[in-house]
Amino acid sequence: MAQPAMPRGNSRKIPKTHTAYCAIHPRASFPMSAMPASKPSDKAARRHPAATPADPPPMNTSTTRRAIRQISKQCAAALAPHGFKLQSPHLHRLMPDGLYHAINFQSSQWGDRHEGRFTINLIVTSQWLHTHWTNLPFPKNPGSAPWPILRRLGQQLPAGNDKWWDVNADTNLDALFTEISRALIKHALPFFAQYPDSQAILDRVRTGGFVHSASDAQRPLIAAILLVEKRQPEAAREILLNALKENAGSPFAKTINLIASRLGIKLQAPA
């Protein structure tokens, strides 16, 4: 999938997880721009020794990244009683059956060192779901695995809009943290409560219940992946066969066969 052109000086390599995700999710709109910063080299560390509160920040650290780092750390403390922990720059909690609830801080690819913006994504995923959909290892940071359920925090707010927060050198980050932490507690926690475990997702996709960000075509694939995890391969095969019949002659049939092969299920193409 072609990536949007970026201004000179801001190009970056797209992570493999995002590439694989977009390959079978053509309407994907989740640029993985909030990936954890890589560990600085020794040379970089010597160039920018550990700063004291009186020192200016290193010149290669943008205002947006500093804001995300501070606010995510503060949010982790506020959400710790609810089981969330920080894996910078994101937050996540692991549910008993292996499902993850994650809070992803996504910076905009536009902006500069002095000002920018970021948004917050709510993610429900698991190693099993992610691996069998993308055929890639589960990311070390669960907050960077945006499948199968992805929702903007702004869409959970009363206005229901895709909300981005602007930051610059004059932004009051403590006030911004207060706003965001309240929104997470009031609106993100009830969102996650709809998906307490993988069985809740399976029940929804099998009974026609609403699943955030999952298309009608994806629902049987999600169901099949979860059924195999629950040691019900025959039920998964039946669902995939029905999906294959409904998508006969469609390019999506290749995706169905691809997922089936990853699950170890053999399908026969409809006549």
Side-chain angles (χ1 to χ4, degrees), residues 4 8-9 13 58 83 111 123 149 173 191 193 205-206 221 235 242:
R8 291 183 179 180
K13 185 177 180 181
I123 294 170
I149 297 172
L173 295 183
F191 169 81
V205 294
R206 296 193 74 181
L221 304 187
N242 289 334

Side-chain angles (χ1 to χ4, degrees), residues 83-104:
F84 284 88
K85 67 177 184 178
L86 176 69
Q87 189 169 343
S88 186
H90 314 307
L91 283 66
H92 71 267
R93 68 180 175 189
L94 178 61
M95 306 305 287
D97 75 333
L99 197 69
Y100 282 95
H101 295 163
I103 299 170
N104 171 284

